[in-house]
Amino acid sequence: MKHSISAILFDENEIQTRISDLASQISKDYESKNLVIICILKGSFVFLADMIRWFTIPVKIDFMAISSYGNRTESSGEVTIKKDIDIDIKGKDVLILDDIVDTGISMTFLFDHLKKYRPNSIRSCALLVKQKPRLREIKIDYKGFEIEDDFVIGYGLDYAEKFRNLPYIGILKEEIYRNE
Ligand code: PRP
């Protein structure tokens, strides 16, 4: 798989160090609250699995599956819910956990959608946040790393459903997706 990558952005150690810092900040901020983490599938499952093991507070976990990219590298702009949450978040403190924020369309959609269930609070956490003007301006409360506008894969992130199992985050070579 390494021949598909032009550079490694963050290796396993860098990712774990950053995630443990984020988890300890979140544990402090939610110490006396009712934290419910909503993990956005599929890309965030690795991030969630590592993150929750650093928490020092009780946490409930649920999952949503959405999609706006399909097999392409550009957002279609339309978000589809493939799976909604199962647990009742009314009056709870919700933290949306996503692997990456690019255009902001997904996170904006998730805020608007989850607000309807009347939680006490909603915040966002993203492992990767692209530094670029967004189509939807959205505040990311907890950021892992800010990155350039490259196509990144690994650690849960895919290209056409591949590469999610890479233990590091790398940049996909342009020639892999140039002819799509
Ligand atoms: C990715 C990622 C975010 C979203 C971010 O999901 O997991 O949810 O795109 O992009 P945006 O800020 O431009 O909306 P994707 O649709 O690729 O699904 P996946 O997680 O199942 O791979």
Side-chain angles (χ1 to χ4, degrees):
M1 284 188 285
K2 268 203 164 151
H3 63 272
S4 306
I5 283 162
S6 59
I8 292 181
L9 270 186
F10 306 108
D11 66 22
E12 291 170 79
N13 287 336
E14 288 171 288
I15 295 171
Q16 289 308 320
T17 303
R18 187 68 194 110
I19 289 181
S20 65
D21 288 348
L22 275 179
S24 84
Q25 184 63 52
I26 292 167
S27 297
K28 257 189 225 152
D29 294 350
Y30 286 86
E31 203 155 13
S32 53
K33 308 221 165 152
N34 292 303
L35 177 60
V36 180
I37 298 257
I38 300 189
C39 170
I40 310 306
L41 296 170
K42 300 176 187 171
S44 310
F45 72 100
V46 184
F47 181 29
L48 174 86
D50 282 344
M51 173 82 114
I52 54 172
R53 284 177 282 178
W54 293 106
F55 279 143
T56 53
I57 53 165
V59 58
K60 288 185 182 174
I61 294 154
D62 205 348
F63 297 87
M64 271 188 79
I66 60 168
S67 187
S68 61
Y69 280 58
N71 281 348
R72 301 176 311 112
T73 53
E74 296 288 326
S75 173
S76 66
E78 268 179 51
V79 182
T80 318
I81 296 184
K82 295 178 161 180
K83 185 214 165 292
D84 205 348
I85 51 171
D86 298 314
I87 59 180
D88 184 7
I89 58 168
K90 189 175 175 191
K92 303 286 192 299
D93 298 293
V94 167
L95 183 62
I96 303 170
L97 201 78
D98 211 347
D99 52 351
I100 185 165
V101 172
D102 183 346
T103 63
I105 289 173
S106 302
M107 196 57 94
T108 305
F109 173 88
L110 290 161
F111 260 80
D112 291 343
H113 174 72
L114 292 169
K115 260 187 221 159
K116 294 179 207 155
Y117 297 119
R118 302 175 61 202
N120 181 53
S121 66
I122 311 185
R123 284 185 187 165
S124 55
C125 173
L127 181 61
L128 305 174
V129 178
K130 284 200 176 177
Q131 287 178 302
K132 65 178 212 185
R134 272 181 249 299
L135 290 173
R136 303 274 186 284
E137 261 325 308
I138 181 94
K139 184 168 175 270
I140 308 302
D141 299 286
Y142 301 96
K143 291 181 198 175
F145 302 100
E146 294 195 321
I147 60 168
E148 302 292 315
D149 192 13
D150 294 308
F151 196 92
V152 286
I153 52 169
Y155 197 76
L157 291 112
D158 74 313
Y159 168 61
E161 296 298 335
K162 290 180 288 184
F163 306 110
R164 293 193 198 274
N165 57 309
L166 292 178
Y168 50 82
I169 295 168
I171 299 175
L172 183 66
K173 277 186 185 163
E174 229 178 288
E175 67 207 51
I176 309 284
Y177 60 89
R178 201 189 296 144
N179 300 319
E180 69 174 308

